[in-house]
């Protein structure tokens, strides 16, 4: 009921009478009044005016299922939301939910992660209460080899949402990072459970540095946050709502062709490495080449100094700028 009340207050844009709330929800005035009391306790500023009703003036920066769901207008992404004050990692929780049969689109969100991860087991610094740690559980009916492309779908969605919510011209560092002014703002990690020829589930985790003021010594030169870039704080729930909206749209485009044909242009436009010299760090060799863009299946096309072009697969390598991270 809290979700519905929040939704009605938000969508009306003005006052909603106690009577309207009772009728719509089929509950008593006392029940409505109790929920309004709970919202106030959680930090919502709800104004109550005699003969007019309730009006929502401001919301706290909290990540609860009710807050998130009241902001979502999606068909499947985030229809089920599981929130943690503190957890190991949202990808781990989503995988457990995946094993337990949770539906496609289940969203896991945490206020803090104790063991957030990047690619190949690297740690993701996850401070409490100021950033976004979210994972979408997906059950796509596609061959397992196509699943890694979902990282790039998520990158397009996160970049679009970040631009829309903050105005920042964020870019994508192939394949899985969102950067701004050469520093890392967000990372994406896709993991999956498969049989030889079908996918049980895929989890795509997105970590975004939102209101972070300071990073640890190890990453302070390459990490940034929305706060550091814009000087203002951002309400995390609004950004998450925008991400799930954009994800649904891009995922539909991905499914239409089962590749990135319809997203390639969007991705390449934001690709920070495009037309730049990059260092490709493989397991046994490192070389420099010019990055040209991605293919419809998500590999990075590079041109070597001798003019030959080749496709780089994300699983095998890391890409760096010639002088630094990008
Ligand atoms: P690759 O290019 O292979 O993806 P990467 O360094 O970008 O390499 P990821 O696995 O994407 O690796 O992300 C993990 C790395 O990101 C960590 O090793 C650390 O350097 C950096 N990092 C960790 N936490 C954060 C954070 N909160 N914000 C920005 N960067 C972080």
């Amino acid at each position: 009921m809290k979700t519905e009340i929040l939704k009605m207050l938000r969508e009306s844009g003005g006052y909603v009478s106690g009577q309207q709330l009772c009728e719509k929800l089929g509950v008593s005035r006392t029940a409505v009044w109790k929920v309004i009391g709970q919202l106030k306790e959680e930090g919502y500023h709800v104004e109550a005016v005699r003969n007019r009703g309730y009006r929502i003036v401001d919301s706290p920066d909290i990540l609860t299922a009710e807050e998130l769901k009241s902001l979502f207008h999606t068909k499947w992404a985030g229809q089920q939301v599981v929130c943690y004050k503190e957890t190991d990692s949202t990808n781990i929780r989503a995988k457990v939910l995946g094993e337990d049969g949770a539906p496609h689109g289940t969203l896991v969100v945490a206020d803090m992660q104790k063991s957030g991860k990047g690619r190949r087991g690297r740690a993701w610094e996850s401070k409490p209460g100021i950033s976004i740690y979210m994972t979408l559980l997906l059950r796509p009916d596609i061959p397992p080899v196509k699943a890694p492309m979902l990282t790039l779908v998520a990158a397009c969605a996160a970049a679009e949402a970040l631009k829309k919510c903050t105005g920042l011209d964020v870019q994508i560092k192939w394949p899985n990072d969102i950067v701004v002014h050469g520093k890392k703002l967000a990372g994406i990690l896709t993991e999956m459970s498969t049989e030889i020829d079908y996918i049980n589930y895929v989890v795509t985790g997105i970590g975004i540095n939102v209101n972070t003021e300071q990073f640890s010594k190890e990453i302070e030169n390459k990490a940034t946050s929305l706060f550091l870039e814009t000087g203002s704080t951002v309400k995390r729930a609004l950004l998450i709502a925008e991400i799930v909206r954009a994800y649904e749209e891009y995922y539909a485009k991905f499914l239409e062709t089962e590749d990135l044909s319809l997203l390639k242009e969007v991705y390449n436009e934001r690709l920070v490495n495009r037309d730049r010299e990059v260092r490709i760090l493989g397991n046994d060799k490192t070389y420099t080449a010019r990055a040209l863009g991605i293919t419809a299946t998500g590999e990075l096309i590079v041109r070597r100094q001798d003019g030959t072009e080749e496709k780089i697969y994300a699983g095998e390598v890391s890409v760096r700028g010639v002088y630094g991270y990008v």
Side-chain angles (χ1 to χ4, degrees):
M1 180 164 65
K2 211 188 269 178
T3 306
E4 283 75 29
I5 290 184
L6 272 174
K7 219 175 179 117
M8 280 179 75
L9 291 177
R10 287 212 156 102
E11 286 171 6
S12 90
Y15 289 91
V16 183
S17 71
Q19 187 63 30
Q20 278 173 301
L21 290 167
C22 298
E23 277 171 15
K24 184 90 195 274
L25 302 170
V27 294
S28 68
R29 269 183 184 254
T30 324
V32 168
W33 178 78
K34 265 195 188 155
V35 172
I36 299 283
Q38 285 168 10
L39 289 173
K40 285 182 179 167
E41 258 167 46
E42 287 173 20
Y44 291 87
H45 182 180
V46 183
E47 199 180 59
V49 176
R50 191 186 276 269
N51 296 328
R52 294 182 81 177
Y54 301 104
R55 182 171 76 98
I56 190 157
V57 181
D58 199 11
S59 318
D61 179 29
I62 54 169
L63 298 178
T64 58
E66 292 90 356
E67 168 69 359
L68 290 165
K69 285 171 100 172
S70 74
L71 292 165
F72 291 175
H73 298 279
T74 48
K75 287 195 206 74
W76 57 265
Q79 289 305 301
Q80 300 249 9
V81 181
V82 182
C83 291
Y84 295 94
K85 207 71 214 128
E86 182 179 311
T87 190
D88 35 17
S89 97
T90 53
N91 269 26
I92 295 178
R93 289 303 108 209
K95 285 189 270 185
V96 171
L97 288 162
E99 294 296 333
D100 289 349
H104 176 71
T106 299
L107 175 71
V108 183
V109 174
D111 220 31
M112 177 199 180
Q113 296 186 118
K114 285 182 288 187
S115 28
K117 290 274 181 294
R119 298 209 300 153
R120 297 181 219 159
R122 296 179 195 115
W124 185 260
E125 196 170 301
S126 309
K127 297 197 168 164
I130 47 174
S131 284
I132 289 177
Y133 316 109
M134 60 183 278
T135 298
L136 265 174
L137 170 73
L138 307 162
R139 296 190 184 277
D141 187 11
I142 56 171
V145 290
K146 296 188 177 180
M149 284 187 261
L150 291 167
T151 295
L152 285 78
V153 176
C156 289
E160 180 176 307
L162 282 161
K163 165 87 187 169
K164 199 161 170 190
C165 291
T166 66
L168 279 174
D169 249 320
V170 300
Q171 292 181 295
I172 301 172
K173 176 180 162 289
W174 182 86
N176 67 325
D177 292 329
I178 306 283
V179 299
V180 58
H181 300 134
K183 290 182 162 186
K184 188 148 144 183
L185 179 66
I188 298 166
L189 178 67
T190 296
E191 300 175 88
M192 59 179 161
S193 157
T194 65
E195 302 300 327
I196 286 178
D197 53 352
Y198 74 89
I199 293 176
N200 294 324
Y201 57 84
V202 174
V203 299
T204 293
I206 307 178
I208 306 175
N209 304 318
V210 181
N211 297 318
T212 323
E213 291 181 27
Q214 210 173 11
F215 293 96
S216 67
K217 277 267 163 300
E218 295 83 67
I219 61 166
E220 66 181 5
N221 292 327
K222 71 177 207 186
T224 192
S225 71
L226 293 176
F227 177 76
L228 292 174
E229 293 299 324
T230 63
S232 0
T233 54
V234 172
K235 293 237 170 84
R236 292 168 297 163
L238 293 174
L239 185 50
I240 294 174
E242 206 46 59
I243 294 172
V244 290
R245 189 206 59 73
Y247 193 86
E248 239 186 40
E249 184 187 320
Y250 285 134
Y251 184 80
K253 289 191 173 161
F254 166 73
L255 279 194
E256 243 179 77
T257 56
E258 289 196 6
D259 67 14
L260 304 168
S261 305
L262 302 173
L263 298 180
K264 201 171 80 169
E265 212 170 300
V266 173
Y267 190 96
N268 280 337
E269 253 167 38
R270 294 208 178 272
L271 184 62
V272 70
N273 321 94
R274 195 173 189 184
D275 293 327
R276 287 202 198 176
E277 294 295 317
V278 292
R279 274 187 309 132
I280 295 141
L281 321 176
N283 287 334
D284 47 349
K285 56 175 184 178
T286 294
Y287 60 97
T288 305
R290 178 168 288 262
L292 303 179
I294 60 158
T295 65
T297 41
E299 294 91 19
L300 186 68
I301 310 167
V302 298
R303 188 188 301 131
R304 291 219 194 206
Q305 269 137 359
D306 64 8
T308 54
E309 288 185 8
E310 62 183 61
K311 290 189 271 180
I312 314 271
Y313 295 84
E316 301 164 358
V317 300
S318 292
V319 168
R320 294 283 177 273
V322 177
Y323 301 109
Y325 180 61
V326 293

